[in-house]
Amino acid sequence: SASADETLEMIRRLGGAEAEAEAREAERRAGEMAHVRAEDLATHVGKVAKRAFWDAVQERLRGGDFECAFGLLGEMQKAMLALVAHSAKAREELADKFDAAWLKQQADNGALELGSVTNLMKYVASTIAAWQAPADEPEARAWVESVEAVAAAAVAERADLGAFIGDHLAPFLARAHELIGRIYERLVAMQQEADGEAAAAEAAAAKAAAAAAAEAPVA
């Protein structure tokens, strides 16, 4: 499909031909599982592709190539801004504390500091967790606590910035994207439910109007 081809192309760009080949092989093996329902198969392939994607990202980061990270951070910033499009205050706060372009500029100038990265991770994690539905809140809160613990340990140990990014940024981004995706899914479901209720109400009103017109005496 088009989306699968786009995912594989992104994997190739980030991880090279070897990562793409691995993802294609995983997809081929999944395709042979004829006894699995189609929706389960699609879910499995999607998970494999995502895992290959983030593995490729982490490999690049560990190799000292941070360019892909800033692109992913920029996309995540846009997604989060879209979620608070209704609130000028929330957008202003988010833009002030989460600026992917500024981070890239700092990195390009050799001025990016460990504290800037850990503070961003903590802010993004706590913000995403605060947006979760009640059913997802305990899981999200546990993730925030783990992010805060990793950040605190890195600062206390004065960890090397490159090593910290290589070890921790890709898993953090993967989890953040997953939780943002859940928020979008719930919003879409809520909108579809609201649309369905509105359509049902409109149909009921039309039916009642038709019934009233049918019962009205003819002049």
Side-chain angles (χ1 to χ4, degrees):
S1 66
S3 59
D5 290 340
E6 290 171 0
T7 300
L8 291 167
E9 172 63 16
M10 182 63 73
I11 291 171
R12 184 190 65 77
R13 291 181 182 179
L14 290 170
E18 184 176 347
E20 180 190 10
E22 181 180 345
R24 288 187 181 278
E25 174 61 18
E27 184 176 10
R28 183 193 64 77
R29 289 197 301 268
E32 294 174 352
M33 299 165 59
H35 62 283
V36 180
R37 291 184 304 158
E39 57 267 32
D40 292 340
L41 186 58
T43 299
H44 174 74
V45 172
K47 287 180 179 179
V48 170
K50 287 179 181 179
R51 190 180 308 118
F53 173 83
W54 291 111
D55 285 348
V57 170
Q58 184 158 35
E59 185 176 350
R60 285 187 61 176
L61 294 178
R62 283 178 169 169
D65 181 0
F66 300 155
E67 192 66 28
C68 65
F70 297 117
L72 291 167
L73 283 168
E75 290 301 316
M76 187 165 69
Q77 180 184 357
K78 291 177 184 177
M80 293 177 70
L81 284 169
L83 287 171
V84 291
H86 60 283
S87 172
K89 181 179 179 181
R91 285 179 62 86
E92 183 179 349
E93 178 185 346
L94 185 62
D96 179 60
K97 295 185 178 181
F98 185 2
D99 189 342
W102 180 83
L103 287 173
K104 184 179 185 305
Q105 184 179 34
Q106 293 295 102
D108 290 343
N109 294 330
L112 185 62
E113 298 180 351
L114 177 65
S116 297
V117 177
T118 56
N119 286 339
L120 175 65
M121 291 171 63
K122 291 188 292 182
Y123 171 74
V124 169
S126 62
T127 301
I128 292 174
W131 293 347
Q132 295 297 312
D136 296 326
E137 189 175 348
E139 182 182 351
R141 181 52 51 188
W143 174 59
V144 172
E145 291 175 357
S146 69
V147 170
E148 291 175 343
V150 167
V155 172
E157 297 168 3
R158 297 182 179 179
D160 175 75
L161 175 62
F164 178 82
I165 290 176
D167 288 340
H168 299 291
L169 190 57
F172 169 80
L173 289 173
R175 188 67 171 133
H177 275 80
E178 178 186 351
L179 291 175
I180 290 174
R182 286 189 193 178
I183 298 171
Y184 272 102
E185 289 173 359
R186 289 188 182 277
L187 288 175
V188 170
M190 289 170 61
Q191 185 59 53
Q192 290 176 340
E193 182 179 355
D195 290 345
E197 292 175 352
E202 184 177 346
K207 183 177 180 180
E215 294 174 359
V218 179

